[in-house]
Amino acid sequence: MADADIARVFRAEYGRAVAVLVRLVGDIDLAEEAVQDAFATAAERWPAAGLPPSPAGWIITTARRRAVDRQRRESSRVDRHAQALLIHSPGEEPAEEGPVHDDRLRLIFTCCHPALAESAQVALTLRLLGGLTTAEIARAFLVAEPTMAQRLVRAKAKIRDAGIPYRVPADADLPDRLRPVLAVVYLIFNEGYLPSGPGPDPVEGPVRAELCAEAIRLARLLAELMPDEPEVLGLLALLLLIHARRPARTTADGDLVLLAEQDRTRWDRELLAEGQALVRRCLRRGRPGPYQIQAAINAVHSDAPTAADTDWRQIVQLYDQQLELAPSPVVALHRAVALAEVEGPARALETVERLDLDGYYLWHALRADLLRRLGRDAEAALAYETALALTHNPAEQAQLRCGLRSVTRRDG
Amino acid sequence: MKQYLLSMYQPEGPVPSPEFLERVMADLGVLRRELESTGSWVFGNGLHAPDTATVLRPGEGEVLVTDGPFTEGKEYLGGVTVIKAPDLDAALAWGRRYALATGLPIEVRPFQGEVGD
């Protein structure tokens, strides 16, 4: 029984245990303290006694006893939650299965309540469902630890004081309320996949890779809990298909490798197969949404044995569909990348020039690339320089510098 | 149950036309009757303009009386409603209807403590 085993159980079971405890005690802070106590006790006992038959059940039962103890001690806090807890607790082992899944879902929807700021939604989801420490979350989002601690305290206080319910919204409200939940999971993944700023190890830093894994775990959970929501399956497929390319995505030095130049034999076949199967399942539903379409686009990429075999026509069609569902200049920009392959860089450049994305580094980066391919080197150089000034990610900067060198070399 | 304060914020400027206000008042009347029939109504009313306010500030053993609202602003508190609701979602659902009826931003804020059903 090594520390690594306890850490593994912690990662796998923390969110479930907190979710169950929140339901039982109706108080997030008390639930968290009790679960942390239970893991601390496990860390003392398990190395000698070995792993119990059901580690999750053991943690939940122990945490519940801790919560009862704490509530007894703080007699002023004996409210009806505590009384309910006392009635159920003596001696008997509770059935830990049953509504456990719903507990986690309820907690995700509570963390992602629209009355909480988006930054707090992400942080709280990572904290309560992912078991990340405040320090880890602060590092991942590039804020000071006290700032993040304060954000978490404030969010938890608002849930308690404003009466944000622990509830999965009714079917009628679900599409609206599911949106922030999916957005949070996607944001968590993106923050891990392409950190927004420089960090100690900006591309493959351990915390960032952890964020991708955590987002996929949450998406799997949602898909397991809501198998009839095609957008949930679409999001999971999307994350799996993108994550499958990770082994080929950077060089040993941490430089980004463009999709076209990646060694496709290094893509994770298992994740790809799972993602593609999910995309097929979504297609059969016939209820397309933005995440499903993005997943389908990534599935087309992953179908091609080499970059040259990519079915760009199909990708352009998928982007057209995406633009119909949710028009956005950023989607139009990505469509232009595919359009350049189907109809050439001149047509793509026409589209790009029409987009109002002057503050967005990718707009300048794509413009630079298209101008380079059209031989308009001086204009390309300017665009590369503007793009460089707009991104803080070192890997992206390296790539842009490489493009800039190629047009200035031809010049001189 | 908890109690929530729904505060309505109005911009400074001309008062809307009587036809517009009449429709708003009719909508608010419907909303009020619904709140009452579900037992959610506690209290509510519109306020006079902020220049009718008086602020009392304690200091040096006496209380200073000054004319005008506590803070000057382009938007001011125009009226308040107090409702009973089981949770924030229920309070926000009422608040949303006030926002649609008045066309104004509504702040929803919980009171401390719980109240009987």
Side-chain angles (χ1 to χ4, degrees), chain A residues 137 142 212 229 334 342 359 362:
Chain A
I137 302 169
L142 305 170
C212 288
E229 284 293 332
H334 287 284
V342 177
L362 262 181

Side-chain angles (χ1 to χ4, degrees), chain A residues 166-334:
Chain A
Y166 303 110
R167 181 198 300 143
V168 178
D171 283 355
D173 305 323
L174 200 53
D176 275 353
R177 291 286 301 277
L178 188 56
R179 207 171 302 143
V181 171
L182 296 180
V184 157
V185 174
Y186 192 41
L187 271 173
I188 290 170
F189 183 86
N190 275 334
E191 193 53 37
Y193 189 70
L194 196 60
S196 49
D201 184 4
V203 177
E204 295 291 345
V207 174
R208 311 300 162 89
E210 177 95 12
L211 286 182
C212 288
E214 185 51 33
I216 288 176
R217 207 179 65 77
L218 290 172
R220 276 190 200 286
L221 182 59
L222 285 170
E224 187 188 317
L225 300 166
M226 309 168 86
D228 294 327
E229 284 293 332
E231 275 294 85
V232 174
L233 300 184
L235 176 66
L236 175 60
L238 175 64
L239 302 191
L240 291 172
L241 291 168
I242 296 177
H243 201 54
R245 301 205 288 264
R246 202 176 137 247
R249 194 166 160 264
T250 46
T251 65
D253 303 329
D255 286 339
L256 281 181
V257 183
L258 288 175
L259 182 56
E261 286 147 22
Q262 286 176 11
D263 175 0
R264 295 178 180 225
T265 61
R266 294 178 64 200
W267 287 357
D268 186 321
R269 291 290 134 196
E270 216 169 296
L271 291 184
L272 282 184
E274 192 188 349
Q276 285 170 326
L278 282 169
V279 169
R280 283 192 294 273
R281 240 172 96 189
C282 289
L283 284 177
R284 283 201 296 275
R285 297 284 167 85
R287 281 163 55 204
Y291 291 114
Q292 294 173 70
I293 295 173
Q294 285 187 70
I297 290 167
N298 279 281
V300 174
H301 281 300
S302 62
D303 274 341
T306 71
D309 296 319
T310 306
D311 186 348
W312 289 106
R313 262 172 219 290
Q314 206 188 342
I315 291 178
V316 173
Q317 280 166 11
L318 285 164
Y319 275 121
D320 285 340
Q321 208 181 348
Q322 179 87 309
L323 280 172
E324 238 169 77
L325 277 177
S328 116
V330 173
V331 173
L333 186 70
H334 287 284

Side-chain angles (χ1 to χ4, degrees), chain A residues 90-154:
Chain A
E92 50 162 323
E93 292 302 308
E96 302 298 0
E97 294 310 317
V100 166
H101 281 172
D102 292 337
D103 287 331
R104 275 183 295 181
L105 197 54
R106 264 206 290 262
L107 194 54
I108 292 182
F109 275 97
T110 306
C111 293
C112 298
H113 195 281
L116 297 173
E118 194 181 79
S119 56
Q121 295 176 353
V122 179
L124 204 56
T125 306
L126 283 173
R127 178 86 198 91
L128 299 181
L129 275 305
L132 265 65
T133 64
T134 306
E136 283 173 316
I137 302 169
R139 252 200 322 278
F141 292 95
L142 305 170
V143 299
E145 195 178 332
T147 309
M148 184 52 76
Q150 206 180 11
R151 206 179 278 175
L152 288 166
V153 166
R154 198 186 154 271

